Amino acid sequence: MHGSLTRRRRAGLALLTSAALAAASAVVAATAVSAPASAATSATVTVNTGTSLGTIPAAGHGVNVAVYDGNMNSSPVSGLLRDAGFTAVRYPGGSYGDIYHWKTHTTEGGYVAPGTDFDTYVSTVRSAGAQPVVIANYGTGTAQEAADWVRYANVTKGYGVKYWEIGNEVYGNGHYGSGWEQDNHSDKSPRAYANNVLQYISAMKVVDSSIKVGVVLTTPGGWPDGVVGSGDSADWNNTVMSIVQDKADFVIVHWYPGATSAADSLTKVSQIAPMVSTIRSLLGRYAGSRASSIGIAVTEANLNYQLNSATTALGAADSYLTWFENGVMNVDWWSLHNGTSSSPKTNDDGTTDYNDFGILSSGSSGEPPVNTPLPPYYGLAMVGRAGSPGDTLVKASSSSSLLAAHAVRTSGGVNVVLVNKDLNNSTTVSLSYSGFSPGGTASVVQWRKGATSIGTSTASSATSITLPPYSITVVKSSGGGTASPTPSPTPSPSPSASPSASPSRTPSPSPSPSPSASPTAGGSGCSATYKVTNSWPGGFQADVTVTNTRATAISGWTVGWSFRNGQTISSSWNATLTQSGAAVTARNASYNDGLAAGASTSFGFTGNGAGDVPAPISCTTG
């Protein structure tokens, strides 16, 4: 389905809206943080700086723009994107990606606004300090058209566009009954899409072998995941990956969980780890030795409930950091501007909802002036305040279900992100740090419900802070200390997970904690600790934590061990595992090869057989 000026996307549906987009501008100013109300609740947060959850990805913090949005390149936009810390901007706009022809700057049945051509888009993205993410037209285009676009972008113009998708939600082409995505191919099956994707990848990489090309998957647990179409032998994901195998550089899903209330909306972040585990399991099944190095991109995301609420702002910040902690390479919010066709209403949290998927106002009837930041903008801007690409995500845990905690280790210290989901009460938080000693005062960056700016202030300590109700706070502290590795399992593929699994599915039963192998001596430059984190009849799951034992950074690591009872590897993540007989070798992935002095990272796998701990386990650098 396509047409109309603006479009919002959700998994399994394409809904159209229309908007009158006007010209104006708004700038965001920073003010001091207001004093919080008296605390009504308390919580504790523990930060383990020795447990790495990976790094903030180079193009992780993204947003969508669309060629029907006449304000996508207006003068304030690049500054607003830059101020929010966005590092990726996706184009040409959801389902429009499958009807847009870049050479003529036209669409088949859609609307293209003036000033939204590819070159102008790239100029805005560059000015914002972000990277382009481009949808190559699958539905009404050809592999040659996509290859010509790569040539124009990266050879003729030298733009260096790295990330390319092959189509948008192609599974919505009618093959499963419901159709919103334009697809002019006579064969609309997943088998046809996968075979055509191989042609796209080949043609595009002949032009520029350095680009990364992504293939479209269905969202685990969302329609039509698990559905076997007429004439097919398997569902979309299994069919596509069985053909594409290791030829794609990343896979793509979209996330629009929806909710029944504000409180329910803020629980949807719990879907993320199982979804990533399901996708990793799928890649392990079909992509062979490249499985761990194939990225996952969430190129459309929105909580899809009371769109302009403070609730959505909190959920945006919490979900982006959770995606990053689970190893996702890119998340793109839907969208920059979107527009509305409904009158303003009052949200559950008391804020005004314009029913606009945009993070900036489109200036539609009843809305603030065009480019006015809406609450989700501030939530996403707080993600930008959490850290920079390459900074290390470390383990943070909270004692309260209404307080989400994330932490980032930077070159200068540790930033702790605290999301107070309590609508009515302020919360006093006691923070403790493992492997790090915060020194002196702390810088506090904060946004709270109703605020029209992000505030900054100074706190006397990084170990205690009172948070206003419904707020996002980043506590930034400098200090020192050598991280002590205390392995904490990161989310990883469930042995029972399949592409048709519900996102809430977890392995059962869960075992008692198993003993860990003794770490190797530090003379090799690194140590490795092996821990069985789950087991079931005939199989098990294990995590291995790798720690840099040198006083300087290392680049590259290899871990080895030999199974004692005939175990075999079935799938893995965050490392490349090879097995020869009983001997297993694990080498770093491209994104976790570098470790600072004392820092750690982890990888995991599922195996067949008994879940005992092998010994010895070796670790070498380089």
Side-chain angles (χ1 to χ4, degrees), residues 343-380:
S343 300
K345 298 177 182 177
T346 301
N347 291 314
D348 293 356
D349 59 27
T351 56
T352 300
D353 193 67
Y354 304 103
N355 196 36
D356 187 333
F357 273 79
I359 60 173
L360 302 178
S361 173
S362 65
S364 298
S365 178
E367 289 194 312
V370 67
N371 287 325
T372 299
L374 301 173
Y377 171 87
Y378 295 108
L380 295 169

Side-chain angles (χ1 to χ4, degrees), residues 131-498:
Q131 297 189 53
V133 177
V134 176
I135 311 167
N137 185 341
Y138 175 81
T140 62
T142 64
Q144 187 60 55
E145 182 181 29
D148 289 345
W149 200 351
V150 174
R151 180 176 293 104
Y152 176 80
N154 293 354
V155 179
T156 304
K157 304 294 288 189
Y159 290 151
V161 178
K162 185 175 182 180
Y163 303 105
W164 299 80
E165 301 179 53
I166 310 303
N168 185 56
E169 294 171 354
V170 184
Y171 47 81
N173 60 8
H175 181 69
Y176 297 103
S178 180
W180 65 88
E181 201 78 14
Q182 186 72 24
D183 184 357
N184 289 352
H185 296 86
S186 57
D187 186 347
K188 295 177 172 55
S189 68
R191 179 180 60 256
Y193 171 70
N195 284 316
N196 287 326
V197 159
L198 295 177
Q199 296 179 31
Y200 272 73
I201 293 173
S202 177
M204 295 165 75
K205 290 205 169 188
V206 164
V207 177
D208 183 352
S209 61
S210 71
I211 65 172
K212 303 297 183 184
V213 183
V215 59
V216 172
L217 298 182
T218 62
T219 303
W223 189 92
D225 182 49
V227 176
V228 178
S230 176
D232 299 337
S233 59
D235 66 356
W236 180 278
N237 287 357
N238 280 277
T239 302
V240 168
M241 290 310 303
S242 69
I243 295 170
V244 174
Q245 298 184 349
D246 62 352
K247 303 302 187 297
D249 300 294
F250 61 98
V251 296
I252 301 150
V253 295
H254 291 171
W255 188 59
Y256 291 89
T260 57
S261 67
D264 181 45
S265 182
L266 291 175
T267 69
K268 299 303 180 182
V269 69
S270 65
Q271 296 179 355
I272 292 173
M275 286 171 59
V276 174
S277 296
T278 298
I279 297 167
R280 281 288 167 212
S281 180
L282 179 77
L283 295 174
R285 192 175 308 144
Y286 295 113
S289 62
R290 280 205 69 211
S292 63
S293 62
I294 293 175
I296 300 172
V298 187
T299 58
E300 288 184 23
N302 194 297
L303 295 184
N304 200 24
Y305 180 79
Q306 296 185 348
L307 309 176
N308 313 123
S309 61
T311 301
T312 297
L314 270 57
D318 192 19
S319 63
Y320 264 54
L321 291 166
T322 303
W323 284 115
F324 297 162
E325 290 163 352
N326 281 272
V328 166
M329 59 176 273
N330 164 254
V331 188
D332 302 314
W333 193 259
W334 188 271
S335 61
L336 183 68
H337 302 102
N338 194 89
T340 180
S341 58
S342 64
S343 300
K345 298 177 182 177
T346 301
N347 291 314
D348 293 356
D349 59 27
T351 56
T352 300
D353 193 67
Y354 304 103
N355 196 36
D356 187 333
F357 273 79
I359 60 173
L360 302 178
S361 173
S362 65
S364 298
S365 178
E367 289 194 312
V370 67
N371 287 325
T372 299
L374 301 173
Y377 171 87
Y378 295 108
L380 295 169
M382 291 300 289
V383 175
R385 305 301 201 274
S388 302
D391 287 343
T392 302
L393 297 148
V394 297
K395 181 70 175 177
S397 57
S398 166
S399 65
S400 171
S401 62
L402 291 179
L403 177 68
H406 307 271
V408 179
R409 184 152 194 165
T410 71
S411 59
V414 172
N415 300 339
V416 182
V417 183
L418 303 169
V419 182
N420 185 7
K421 302 179 182 181
D422 192 324
L423 178 60
N424 300 308
N425 300 303
S426 56
T427 300
T428 296
V429 182
S430 298
L431 298 97
S432 62
Y433 301 79
S434 173
F436 175 77
S437 298
T441 60
S443 173
V444 177
V445 183
Q446 191 174 86
W447 179 85
R448 59 192 299 179
K449 187 187 84 165
T452 56
S453 64
I454 291 172
T456 59
S457 66
T458 300
S460 60
S461 168
T463 59
S464 180
I465 186 170
T466 299
L467 309 175
Y470 246 44
S471 61
I472 309 166
T473 303
V474 182
V475 180
K476 299 185 175 185
S477 58
S478 59
T482 301
S484 302
T486 53
S488 177
T490 54
S492 44
S494 157
S496 62
S498 67

Side-chain angles (χ1 to χ4, degrees), residues 15-216:
L15 304 179
L16 303 182
T17 66
S18 62
L21 298 172
S25 65
V27 202
V28 184
T31 60
V33 178
S34 300
S38 298
T41 63
S42 62
T44 58
V45 166
T46 303
V47 179
N48 186 341
T49 62
T51 302
S52 170
L53 303 178
T55 59
I56 296 177
H61 189 202
V63 66
N64 277 269
V65 296
V67 294
Y68 50 73
D69 171 17
N71 289 300
M72 64 173 275
N73 294 308
S74 58
S75 57
V77 165
S78 61
L80 287 164
L81 293 173
R82 184 173 56 252
D83 290 346
F86 284 108
T87 53
V89 181
R90 182 179 182 243
Y91 175 92
S95 295
Y96 264 58
D98 280 316
I99 61 173
Y100 178 70
H101 299 286
W102 71 272
K103 288 183 181 179
T104 57
H105 190 48
T106 59
T107 59
E108 298 190 24
Y111 168 76
V112 175
T116 61
D117 59 276
F118 178 64
D119 292 298
T120 308
Y121 150 76
V122 172
S123 177
T124 297
V125 173
R126 281 184 160 182
S127 296
Q131 297 189 53
V133 177
V134 176
I135 311 167
N137 185 341
Y138 175 81
T140 62
T142 64
Q144 187 60 55
E145 182 181 29
D148 289 345
W149 200 351
V150 174
R151 180 176 293 104
Y152 176 80
N154 293 354
V155 179
T156 304
K157 304 294 288 189
Y159 290 151
V161 178
K162 185 175 182 180
Y163 303 105
W164 299 80
E165 301 179 53
I166 310 303
N168 185 56
E169 294 171 354
V170 184
Y171 47 81
N173 60 8
H175 181 69
Y176 297 103
S178 180
W180 65 88
E181 201 78 14
Q182 186 72 24
D183 184 357
N184 289 352
H185 296 86
S186 57
D187 186 347
K188 295 177 172 55
S189 68
R191 179 180 60 256
Y193 171 70
N195 284 316
N196 287 326
V197 159
L198 295 177
Q199 296 179 31
Y200 272 73
I201 293 173
S202 177
M204 295 165 75
K205 290 205 169 188
V206 164
V207 177
D208 183 352
S209 61
S210 71
I211 65 172
K212 303 297 183 184
V213 183
V215 59
V216 172

